[in-house]
Amino acid sequence: NAGVMQNPRHLVRRRGQEARLRCSPMKGHSHVYWYRQLPEEGLKFMVYLQKENIIDESGMPKERFSAEFPKEGPSILRIQQVVRGDSAAYFCASSPEIDQPQHFGDGTRLSIL
Amino acid sequence: EDQVTQSPEALRLQEGESSSLNCSYTVSGLRGLFWYRQDPGKGPEFLFTLYSAGEEKEKERLKATLTKKESFLHITAPKPEDSATYLCAVFTGTASKLTFGTGTRLQVTL
């Protein structure tokens, strides 16, 4: 039973480029969450999605960030026109129901040059 | 706003030296408290869920307990492989997200 799969594991972008982070949830999980972890800080919630729907995006910056979870394929977190401050580890988690434990992938480490 | 505070920030133990990690929380409508373990370069690994005060869960050398204001993760006779950052997170009825503490970095030496 494969866990949550994230790719790429490491991503390097120059300022102004776009970053696309992918997340395939565990089999049977329809709830997907994205979190960001800055150095020396805790995990911060960004967005919660179910298939084709954004349920809660209260933790996501209003500009440059977007997320989707299409009917087919992985969830995508997109960051447009990246800046140095976007450098962080981005984690995806999934759960079978909203109040069940969330299981995390190993993250994508985004570095901005 | 939900708040989670973990202490200590870092803990160094010798192998076999038992101790406890603390997670105190201020939330409205707690629906669940989760403990995770995170190794360097990896994502959090789920350990326990606690849903109500008085509840206890055990797994190998770890035991988690919950009161109305805090949770403890007790580590009995730890081994070097228990070295990791232990994260506590709360889930409330008013939000769909987990609110995490900043973790306790545990190092167990021989």
Side-chain angles (χ1 to χ4, degrees):
Chain A
N1 187 17
V4 176
M5 303 301 292
Q6 290 189 248
N7 68 80
R9 289 297 311 279
H10 301 274
L11 182 61
V12 179
R13 284 288 177 266
R14 295 188 182 279
R15 281 177 293 174
Q17 291 185 320
E18 179 180 285
R20 282 197 178 204
L21 287 61
R22 294 174 181 77
C23 169
S24 296
M26 287 180 70
K27 188 176 181 180
H29 289 195
S30 60
H31 301 254
V32 167
Y33 315 81
W34 286 92
Y35 293 82
R36 179 164 62 177
Q37 189 172 41
L38 294 166
E40 304 305 319
E41 291 189 22
L43 285 151
K44 303 291 185 188
F45 169 78
M46 297 182 74
V47 62
Y48 159 46
L49 311 102
Q50 279 186 279
K51 279 293 186 182
E52 300 185 271
N53 293 303
I54 295 175
I55 308 300
D56 180 354
E57 56 183 348
S58 59
M60 201 144 74
K62 295 284 186 283
E63 297 178 356
R64 301 189 297 108
F65 286 72
S66 63
E68 62 179 17
F69 188 16
K71 188 176 180 180
E72 300 290 338
S75 176
I76 306 287
L77 180 67
R78 181 188 305 171
I79 311 172
Q80 295 177 302
Q81 299 176 323
V82 296
V83 301
R84 287 246 170 92
D86 297 332
S87 295
Y90 292 82
F91 290 93
C92 170
S94 71
S95 68
E97 297 295 338
I98 188 172
D99 57 351
Q100 293 297 302
Q102 295 178 18
H103 295 268
F104 284 77
D106 282 336
T108 292
R109 278 144 188 87
L110 176 64
S111 298
I112 309 301
L113 301 179
Chain B
E1 186 177 325
D2 299 338
Q3 284 195 315
V4 179
T5 304
Q6 291 189 245
S7 62
E9 287 186 15
L11 181 63
R12 187 182 173 110
L13 299 173
Q14 286 198 316
E15 185 176 13
E17 180 185 2
S18 303
S19 188
S20 296
L21 313 183
N22 178 263
C23 170
S24 61
Y25 58 90
T26 305
V27 303
S28 52
L30 179 75
R31 288 181 60 180
L33 185 143
F34 301 89
W35 281 98
Y36 288 86
R37 167 194 171 128
Q38 187 174 24
D39 293 294
K42 298 285 190 177
E45 176 189 346
F46 170 71
L47 293 174
F48 302 110
T49 308
L50 300 166
Y51 289 106
S52 57
E55 190 175 359
E56 298 183 351
K57 294 274 180 74
E58 277 189 75
K59 179 181 178 180
E60 296 181 355
R61 295 178 293 281
L62 300 176
K63 179 180 177 180
T65 62
L66 180 66
T67 71
K68 288 185 178 180
K69 293 184 178 180
E70 58 191 350
S71 177
F72 291 93
L73 184 66
H74 308 278
I75 303 177
T76 302
K79 298 182 177 182
E81 53 261 43
D82 295 322
S83 298
T85 296
Y86 290 85
L87 302 170
C88 165
V90 296
F91 179 78
T92 69
T94 58
S96 47
K97 62 184 181 183
L98 290 178
T99 301
F100 279 87
T102 52
T104 294
R105 288 191 311 278
L106 174 67
Q107 184 180 12
V108 182
T109 59
L110 293 170

